[in-house]
């Protein structure tokens, strides 16, 4: 239930104000408009900043700035700043009348000379746990405070007055004063530290040219470790320093640097490589040269990691290191080309690991992992999930104002973009791809470029025009679906066709040109691979005709194509019975994905999928595949079934997961995945009683019980309203008094099945300035647990109404988590109707927010559709379950 205070709150937050306001002034209005950026980059050059800043334990930083720049013509110059105070403004050493409106400072043309100019000013900017450009983290364990900046995409102008746009790269000289016992690091090398009056002043060397969003510093009682094959420096907060796997991080960073230098033929382009583990970091990592940041929570393991966790950490390291060239050295001109850096960083991360894995000694761990399989698992399902919705966007995303840049982040740039680059690499071949990248980098050193520049460079190297390819994959929204049609007669293939169509009408007509590999597979025989070029709606695979009918066909072997493969019925039926018999792990992983796509498209009954998963999971030895099966099995069992179907099957799913977790002959990662799934799925009274008993025993299914798992158990018991959940929660809170314990308690309590709890949390999400985003994000799932959809349904529309506020006040990924939480907690037609009514009634909702809602709505719409089709069909599966 919404209390009146919430309604007032949303009005007070101005949640709907942006819908009503008149078009903003493109120059002096909020944010940085495309026009302002274009005007400035055509007139201004040679930008240098001299920044002096004093930070400490207070919640305000004070500073002074010297902006030096050249203009071609003397005209008004606009500088961006939205901190609380700007004073003592001088232009070319004279005090001038300027206009400052809280977003921009306008310097009149009379005060500007053609040629060199200097603007100086004093200012202040906030320091806070959330919502500031300088993030403060308080370490409960030792009482220390840590500060770090995070300016991407548009918060540099919250930190200091600047031209906040990526194509006015500048050199920054930073002088940072911090409390004497603190350490500080920044983009440039530390040249000198002076101490006086209890303060230490760090003078950093002038940086190489950087876009404003890459300026960064950190301050606090950090510990540092220099070493590893490349003599890199790792910074970490003192209270967690002993837990860091320093050697392993240092060697991964070094091999990423070396592999990328070698591949690109361009040496590491900055003064130093330092990196830090940032506490309560809202992203996985951030590529600031000299201060590359990683998420402390995912980089230090609180319990032994699974393979997926290790691979994820490694992929993040390679991603951020790849950015030093793609994003940092050559930067997009404007955030419409965000995909250029994100797509490349992820693609290159996999490519470098694949090259290293090939070179590794046979039978070593590195040689046993196929980075392309992890690349597929980490990217393709996520990309397809968004790209087949009505909320999708092109890879290149128009952006009128930098203050909407946050909306451009998401699966399209992070997961689709690397996927289409894989297709591009496959299309032009390895040597042309590499030569094109080298040319692209050396043509724009420390500069800016666009997607056309990139395709031009690769196209030239490949002697192949790529603009048409770019139109289809970069400018056109949506994605292709490939339908397999197999016609078999007398044990032979009579016809095999691939029919391409768009997943959504919004893509319009036309064919995505595609190069793919079709595999014909039969048990006991060598798989036959047929390369196919797709240029028309229907492609006849002529080379397949007359061959022996295979057990199954799959039209995207090795994952080179970007497209959703819909299995033909014959192949799907065989795989439903025998998928575990396919020995090639990469292919098997993709086949599981294709089976799941049939479920999501309401072509295969979820119960059918569950039957296959229950049969195959115990024998699946590959940890990545098993974890994918477990996720889908859990989702099918908790979301896609009717109450009666669920009652029939849930105990079997629980038992299977428990048996897998307890199976002593299986590896740790396999067991831990199933244990985690068992805990978050537990529904039946025996299962929840077992969870409660584990808390006393110190072990779970034979695995040692560590703190994160204890909290997962407490959270689940609270969500289920287990009889003694409150007492167990209180005991756990007393037992674990660490900062992480307080975070976990906050998350667990969000799962209480009480209207008062939901009201209190919803209020805190907006009002509590001490609540950091990491905590808020972590709690959204428990708040919206599907078991309590009746309690959370009243918050669905208010959650949607608050999107403009969230977009303005929260960091990049929060909005997606928010929507995923509030919409993801529902599976009913009523919830879907609420969303649709909202979309109909709020015609003035900004387009980017509407699309974000549509992206998340899609999964609910599928859930409703799947349940309508299959959840009524009762318990007809008992016989199938026996084998
Ligand atoms: Zn990135």
């Amino acid at each position: 239930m919404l209390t009146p205070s919430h309604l007032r709150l949303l009005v007070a937050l101005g949640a709907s104000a942006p819908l009503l306001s008149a078009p903003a002034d493109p120059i002096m209005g909020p944010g940085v408009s495309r026009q302002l950026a274009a005007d400035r980059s055509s007139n201004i050059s040679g930008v240098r900043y001299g920044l002096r800043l004093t930070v400490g334990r207070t919640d305000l930083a004070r500073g002074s700035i010297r902006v030096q720049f050249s203009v071609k013509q003397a005209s008004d110059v606009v500088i961006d700043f939205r901190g609380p105070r700007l004073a003592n403004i001088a232009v070319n050493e004279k005090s001038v009348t300027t206009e400052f409106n809280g977003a921009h400072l306008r310097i009149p043309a009379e005060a500007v000379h053609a040629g060199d100019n200097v603007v100086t000013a004093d200012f202040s900017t906030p320091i806070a746990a959330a919502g500031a450009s300088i993030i403060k983290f308080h370490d409960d364990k030792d009482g220390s405070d840590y500060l770090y900046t995070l300016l991407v995409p548009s918060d540099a102008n919250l930190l200091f007055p600047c031209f906040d746009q990526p194509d006015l790269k500048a050199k920054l000289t930073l002088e940072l004063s911090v409390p004497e016992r603190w350490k500080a690091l920044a983009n440039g090398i530390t040249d000198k530290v002076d101490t006086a009056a209890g303060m230490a002043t760090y003078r950093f060397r002038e940086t190489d040219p950087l876009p404003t969003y890459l300026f960064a510093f950190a301050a606090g009682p950090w510990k540092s470790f220099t070493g590893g094959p490349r003599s890199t420096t790792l910074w970490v907060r003192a209270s967690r320093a002993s837990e860091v796997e320093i050697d392993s991080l240092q060697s991964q960073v070094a091999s990423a640097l070396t592999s990328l230098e070698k591949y690109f033929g361009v040496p590491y382009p900055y003064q130093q490589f330092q990196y830090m583990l940032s506490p309560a970091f809202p992203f996985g990592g951030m590529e600031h040269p000299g201060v590359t940041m990683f998420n402390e929570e995912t980089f230090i393991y609180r319990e032994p990691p699974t393979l997926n966790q290790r691979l994820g950490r490694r992929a993040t390291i390679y991603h951020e290191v790849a950015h030093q060239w793609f994003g940092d050295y050559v930067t997009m001109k404007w955030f419409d080309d965000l995909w250029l850096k994100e797509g490349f960083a992820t693609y290159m991360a996999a490519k470098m690991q694949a090259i290293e894995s090939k070179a590794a000694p046979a039978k070593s761990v590195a040689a046993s992992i196929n980075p392309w399989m992890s690349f597929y698992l980490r990217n393709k399902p996520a990309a397809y999930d968004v790209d087949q919705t009505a909320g999708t966007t092109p890879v290149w995303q128009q952006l009128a104002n930098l203050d909407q840049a946050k909306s451009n982040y998401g699966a399209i740039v992070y997961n689709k973009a690397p996927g289409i680059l894989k297709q591009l690499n496959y299309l032009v071949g390895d040597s042309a791809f590499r030569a094109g990248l080298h040319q692209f980098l050396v043509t724009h050193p420390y500069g800016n470029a666009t997607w056309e520049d990139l395709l031009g460079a690769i196209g030239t190297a490949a002697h192949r025009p790529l603009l048409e390819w770019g139109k289809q994959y970069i400018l056109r929204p949506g994605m292709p679906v490939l339908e397999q049609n197999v016609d078999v007669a007398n044990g032979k293939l009579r016809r095999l066709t691939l029919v391409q169509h768009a997943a959504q009408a919004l893509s319009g007509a036309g064919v995505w040109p595609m190069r793919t590999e079709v595999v014909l597979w039969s048990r006991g025989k060598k798989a036959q691979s047929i390369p196919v070029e797709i240029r028309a709606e229907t492609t006849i695979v002529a080379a397949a005709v007359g061959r022996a009918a295979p057990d199954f066909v799959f039209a995207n072997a090795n994952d080179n194509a970007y497209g959703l493969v819909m299995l033909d019925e014959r192949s799907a039926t065989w795989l439903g019975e025998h998928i575990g018999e396919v020995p090639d792990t990469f292919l098997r992983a993709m086949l599981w994905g294709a089976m799941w796509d049939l479920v999501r498209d309401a072509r295969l009954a979820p119960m059918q999928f569950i039957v296959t998963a229950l049969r195959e999971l115990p024998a699946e030895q590959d940890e990545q595949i098993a974890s994918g099966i477990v996720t889908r099995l859990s989702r099918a069992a908790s979301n896609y079934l009717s109450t009666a179907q669920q009652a029939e099957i849930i105990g079997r799913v629980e038992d299977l997961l428990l048996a897998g977790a307890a199976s002593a002959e299986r590896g740790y990662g396999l067991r831990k995945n199933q244990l985690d799934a068992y805990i978050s799925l537990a529904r039946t009274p025996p299962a929840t009683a077992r969870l409660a008993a584990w808390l006393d025993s110190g072990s779970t299914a034979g695995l040692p019980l560590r703190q994160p798992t204890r909290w997962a158990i407490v959270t689940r018991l609270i969500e289920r309203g287990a009889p003694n959940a409150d007492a167990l929660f209180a005991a756990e809170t007393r037992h674990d008094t660490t900062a992480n314990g307080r975070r976990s308690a906050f998350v667990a309590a969000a799962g209480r099945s009480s209207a008062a709890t939901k009201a209190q949390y919803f209020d805190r999400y907006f009002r509590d300035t001490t609540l950091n985003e990491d905590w808020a994000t972590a709690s959204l799932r428990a708040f919206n647990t599907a078991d309590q959809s009746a309690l959370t349904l009243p918050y669905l529309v208010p959650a949607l109404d608050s999107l403009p506020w969230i977009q303005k006040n929260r960091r990049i990924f929060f909005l997606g988590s928010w929507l995923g939480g509030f919409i993801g907690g529902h599976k009913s037609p009523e919830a879907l109707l609420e969303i649709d009514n909202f979309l109909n009634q709020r015609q003035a909702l900004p387009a980017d927010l509407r699309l974000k809602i549509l992206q998340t709505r899609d999964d609910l719409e599928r859930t409703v559709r799947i349940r309508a089709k299959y959840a009524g069909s009762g318990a007809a599966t008992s016989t199938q379950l026996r084998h």
Side-chain angles (χ1 to χ4, degrees):
M1 279 277 295
L2 257 194
T3 64
S5 77
H6 291 112
L7 296 173
R8 273 204 311 277
L9 169 70
L10 287 169
V11 173
L13 292 167
S16 51
L19 317 185
L20 306 169
S21 55
D25 171 355
I27 303 303
M28 293 296 281
V32 176
S33 73
R34 179 92 176 89
Q35 187 188 332
L36 172 60
D39 288 356
R40 284 198 299 218
S41 58
S42 67
N43 195 35
I44 295 172
S45 60
V47 185
R48 290 176 117 133
Y49 299 107
L51 174 61
R52 284 185 180 173
L53 205 61
T54 303
V55 297
R57 286 175 164 250
T58 57
D59 53 7
L60 205 66
R62 290 170 208 285
S64 65
I65 183 75
R66 180 187 153 88
V67 188
Q68 201 181 323
F69 56 94
S70 284
V71 298
K72 282 189 200 147
Q73 287 164 357
S75 58
D76 287 4
V77 168
V78 172
I79 294 178
D80 316 319
F81 185 60
R82 56 191 164 89
R85 175 178 162 269
L86 185 64
N88 304 328
I89 301 157
V91 181
N92 297 320
E93 294 181 2
K94 286 187 203 115
S95 172
V96 221
T97 310
T98 54
E99 177 193 349
F100 177 56
N101 65 2
H104 306 282
L105 170 73
R106 191 196 320 249
I107 298 160
E110 309 84 84
V112 177
H113 317 313
D116 293 344
N117 291 271
V118 175
V119 175
T120 54
D122 296 333
F123 66 92
S124 61
T125 186
I127 300 174
S133 61
I134 305 176
I135 297 179
K136 173 152 125 176
F137 178 85
H138 181 74
D139 187 329
D140 277 355
K141 207 164 168 187
D142 60 9
S144 302
D145 282 318
Y146 291 91
L147 307 180
Y148 58 86
T149 57
L150 185 56
L151 307 183
V152 70
S154 55
D155 278 351
N157 71 74
L158 181 56
L159 180 66
F160 70 104
C162 59
F163 303 113
D164 201 359
Q165 61 187 77
D167 64 343
L168 278 178
K169 285 194 172 181
K171 296 180 176 182
L172 170 77
T173 308
L174 175 64
E175 198 179 294
L176 186 67
S177 296
V178 303
E180 197 174 345
R181 299 159 76 107
W182 283 15
K183 302 261 175 32
L185 62 150
N187 305 110
I189 288 174
T190 303
D191 268 341
K192 202 163 155 234
V193 187
D194 295 324
T195 50
M199 297 295 279
T201 297
Y202 281 74
R203 289 170 222 281
F204 298 101
R205 186 170 302 171
E206 186 176 52
T207 65
D208 303 295
L210 291 177
T212 42
Y213 76 89
L214 287 176
F215 292 150
F217 67 80
W222 304 97
K223 282 218 164 222
S224 68
F225 303 90
T226 300
R230 297 281 300 234
S231 195
T232 48
T233 303
L234 161 64
W235 297 77
V236 63
R237 66 179 157 122
S239 68
R240 299 208 71 185
S242 64
E243 301 166 68
V244 185
E245 295 172 327
I246 298 165
D247 291 348
S248 140
L249 297 184
Q250 296 280 37
S251 79
Q252 287 181 27
V253 163
S255 57
L257 284 165
T258 303
S259 296
L260 284 155
E261 279 185 337
K262 202 170 152 195
Y263 183 84
F264 288 137
V266 176
Y268 176 70
Y270 296 101
Q271 295 169 21
Q272 57 180 350
F273 192 92
Q274 299 190 102
Y275 60 112
M276 59 182 286
L277 308 189
S278 303
F281 197 57
F283 310 163
M286 183 61 210
E287 65 265 23
H288 317 114
V291 203
T292 293
M293 294 179 187
F294 295 106
N295 185 317
E296 181 199 272
E297 196 49 37
T298 54
F299 269 53
I300 303 179
Y301 303 122
R302 291 181 188 273
E303 47 191 356
T306 61
L307 178 65
N308 277 326
Q309 286 172 301
R310 287 203 166 278
L311 293 174
R313 186 172 80 175
R314 193 182 171 89
T316 305
I317 289 175
Y318 278 68
H319 175 103
E320 303 305 340
V321 175
H323 268 314
Q324 312 291 317
W325 287 265
F326 259 96
D328 297 3
Y329 185 57
V330 182
T331 307
M332 68 229 156
K333 251 186 97 55
W334 185 240
F335 275 83
D336 49 13
D337 255 332
L338 181 63
W339 79 275
L340 207 54
K341 75 181 184 83
E342 295 308 336
F344 259 99
T346 293
Y347 181 67
M348 292 312 297
K351 197 167 175 73
M352 292 308 99
Q353 292 180 69
I355 290 172
E356 288 172 16
S357 161
K358 256 194 182 158
K363 294 197 177 156
S364 65
V365 180
S368 72
I369 305 270
N370 181 350
W372 290 123
M373 176 167 131
S374 310
F375 176 87
Y376 159 76
L377 290 167
R378 283 175 185 283
N379 293 292
K380 293 300 188 73
Y384 298 159
D385 277 3
V386 169
D387 210 13
Q388 61 185 309
T389 74
T392 195
T393 66
V395 164
W396 181 89
Q397 300 176 69
Q398 193 137 37
L399 181 69
N401 193 306
L402 200 56
D403 66 4
Q404 289 137 26
K406 287 177 193 170
S407 290
N408 289 16
Y409 287 77
I412 296 301
V413 298
Y414 279 96
N415 307 112
K416 177 178 182 175
I420 65 170
L421 288 170
K422 189 172 183 198
Q423 165 71 179
L424 179 63
N425 189 157
Y426 185 63
L427 184 72
V428 301
D430 278 334
S431 66
F433 189 76
R434 183 176 179 179
L437 293 192
H438 173 80
Q439 198 51 45
F440 176 76
L441 290 170
V442 300
T443 308
H444 309 279
Y446 302 104
N448 297 85
T450 65
W451 68 271
E452 288 103 327
D453 296 323
L454 178 82
L455 287 194
I458 296 176
T460 304
H463 308 290
R464 179 177 184 137
L466 290 173
L467 231 47
E468 180 55 30
W469 184 92
K471 269 188 200 154
Q472 296 299 328
Y473 282 97
I474 293 170
L475 298 183
R476 183 180 178 193
M479 63 171 298
V481 178
L482 271 188
E483 303 276 355
Q484 297 183 173
N485 292 316
V486 176
D487 186 358
V488 166
N490 305 323
K492 291 206 178 329
L493 267 175
R494 201 159 67 176
R495 193 176 150 90
L496 171 59
T497 56
L498 303 176
V499 179
Q500 194 197 85
H501 62 87
Q504 282 283 343
L506 60 83
S507 297
V511 170
W512 283 267
M514 194 182 272
R515 179 177 282 184
T516 189
E517 222 178 295
V518 178
V519 67
L520 313 181
W521 196 96
S522 290
R523 186 171 25 196
K525 295 194 185 123
K526 194 172 174 296
Q528 303 175 52
S529 173
I530 305 174
V532 174
E533 291 254 4
I534 290 174
R535 295 195 193 85
E537 216 167 278
T538 300
T539 305
I540 299 166
V541 184
V545 176
R547 298 199 195 191
D551 290 338
F552 69 86
V553 174
F554 184 64
N556 190 13
N558 294 312
D559 189 37
N560 290 304
Y562 179 81
L564 206 57
V565 173
M566 283 294 157
L567 295 169
D568 57 284
E569 214 178 308
R570 190 173 172 281
S571 298
T573 305
W574 189 88
L575 289 166
E577 302 283 323
H578 305 282
I579 187 168
E581 296 169 30
V582 179
D584 175 342
T585 48
F586 188 9
L587 181 59
R588 195 164 72 248
M590 294 195 71
L591 293 168
W592 274 107
M595 295 291 280
W596 182 244
D597 288 331
L598 292 176
V599 175
R600 291 191 83 242
D601 213 37
R603 301 189 196 197
L604 177 68
M607 196 58 107
Q608 207 67 50
F609 183 92
I610 292 173
V611 168
T612 303
L614 287 175
R615 192 191 61 234
E616 299 293 343
L617 185 60
E620 181 56 65
Q621 291 300 322
D622 185 277
E623 194 177 322
Q624 293 182 83
I625 296 178
S627 135
I629 298 174
V630 166
T631 306
R632 289 159 178 152
L633 172 64
S634 302
R635 177 138 184 94
S638 40
N639 277 45
Y640 293 162
L641 303 180
S642 68
T643 313
Q645 288 170 326
Q646 196 178 55
E648 183 201 331
I649 197 79
I650 200 77
R652 301 223 17 193
V653 178
E654 287 174 350
D655 289 350
L656 184 90
L657 292 172
L658 179 63
S663 162
E665 65 268 27
R666 313 201 85 192
Y668 167 79
L670 282 164
R671 294 176 62 187
K672 182 66 167 62
N673 277 327
Q674 296 194 33
L675 175 68
D676 291 344
Y678 177 76
I679 293 167
S680 59
L681 188 81
R683 288 191 76 83
T684 64
T688 49
R690 181 172 290 109
L691 295 192
W694 278 345
L695 288 174
D696 285 333
S697 74
S699 84
T700 46
L703 293 168
L705 178 58
R706 291 186 173 83
Q707 201 56 58
T709 307
R710 294 186 68 89
W711 277 115
I713 291 174
V714 171
T715 305
R716 185 57 186 158
L717 292 173
I718 287 184
E719 287 174 1
R720 292 300 296 160
N724 49 353
D726 282 331
L728 294 169
F729 173 81
E732 207 59 34
T733 311
R734 280 193 302 275
H735 166 81
D736 181 6
T737 56
T738 62
N740 209 58
R742 291 195 304 115
R743 175 185 185 267
S744 302
F746 177 79
V747 170
R752 279 219 174 86
S753 182
S754 105
T757 297
K758 304 298 176 194
Q760 189 200 16
Y761 270 76
F762 199 78
D763 187 66
R764 284 190 73 181
Y765 290 142
F766 299 97
R767 280 193 209 258
D768 185 350
T769 50
T770 64
L771 177 64
N772 74 48
E773 285 191 32
D774 168 59
W775 284 34
T777 308
S779 70
L780 291 171
R781 215 192 90 147
F783 180 102
N784 289 291
T785 180
D787 300 337
Q788 297 163 16
S789 54
L791 272 181
T792 57
L793 189 61
Y795 291 92
L796 186 53
V797 168
L800 300 179
D801 259 329
S802 64
L803 292 180
W805 185 87
I806 285 177
Q807 185 178 40
K808 189 157 173 257
N809 293 283
R810 293 289 173 257
R811 286 181 191 279
I812 289 168
F813 299 108
F814 188 81
L815 192 136
S817 309
W818 179 261
L819 281 171
F822 281 93
I823 297 180
H826 295 282
K827 51 188 179 185
S828 68
E830 294 74 27
L832 184 62
L833 190 65
E834 293 247 3
I835 296 171
D836 289 346
N837 286 341
F838 174 90
L839 290 170
N840 285 331
Q841 286 158 10
R842 308 292 200 283
Q843 288 302 323
L845 186 71
D848 56 333
L849 295 177
R850 179 173 293 270
L851 292 176
K852 291 282 175 195
I853 296 174
L854 287 172
Q855 287 175 13
T856 319
R857 174 200 175 276
D858 183 84
D859 198 59
L860 175 59
E861 189 273 327
R862 285 175 190 275
T863 303
V864 169
R865 185 148 46 97
I866 292 165
R867 287 165 60 87
K869 184 163 175 186
Y870 298 108
S873 61
T877 50
S878 307
T879 46
Q880 294 163 327
L881 287 176
R882 269 182 223 113
H883 46 209

